[in-house]
Amino acid sequence: MSGGTTPKFCNEAGAREIRIGVREFECIGALPPFDHPHVFLDMGRENEIVCGYCSTLYKHDAALKEDESVPSDALYHEDPHAVAGHG
């Protein structure tokens, strides 16, 4: 990943699927404080993967950039002032 950070995605809205521009990422489930353990997922050569915690279906979309998703609010931005232990 550029910048040395792994993007994180969430499914607060309960979308059926989330399209993302990366194959390696973290899923956090819902937004904190209702998130599940932040798990690293790697699609490898596949074009989709399901999170084992929240069952969100993630699909790789080569037309999207590393920091883009559809729906757009699925990309999670950590709050730098968040309580230690979440993130």
Side-chain angles (χ1 to χ4, degrees):
M1 303 296 99
S2 67
T5 60
T6 301
K8 292 185 179 188
F9 296 93
C10 66
N11 193 2
E12 183 73 12
R16 192 172 135 191
E17 71 178 46
I18 297 175
R19 294 185 0 240
I20 58 177
V22 294
R23 293 181 190 272
E24 296 177 358
F25 62 97
E26 287 185 47
C27 178
I28 70 166
L31 292 174
F34 304 107
D35 50 338
H36 63 54
H38 298 192
V39 292
F40 179 80
L41 299 173
D42 183 351
M43 291 183 200
R45 293 183 182 193
E46 301 298 320
N47 288 317
E48 61 185 41
I49 195 168
V50 174
C51 175
Y53 279 94
C54 65
S55 300
T56 297
L57 172 62
Y58 289 95
K59 290 189 173 184
H60 181 256
D61 184 336
L64 296 173
K65 296 178 184 174
E66 289 183 3
D67 60 349
E68 293 181 319
S69 65
V70 176
S72 60
D73 63 353
L75 180 65
Y76 175 67
H77 299 281
E78 290 190 75
D79 179 356
H81 304 291
V83 177
H86 269 296

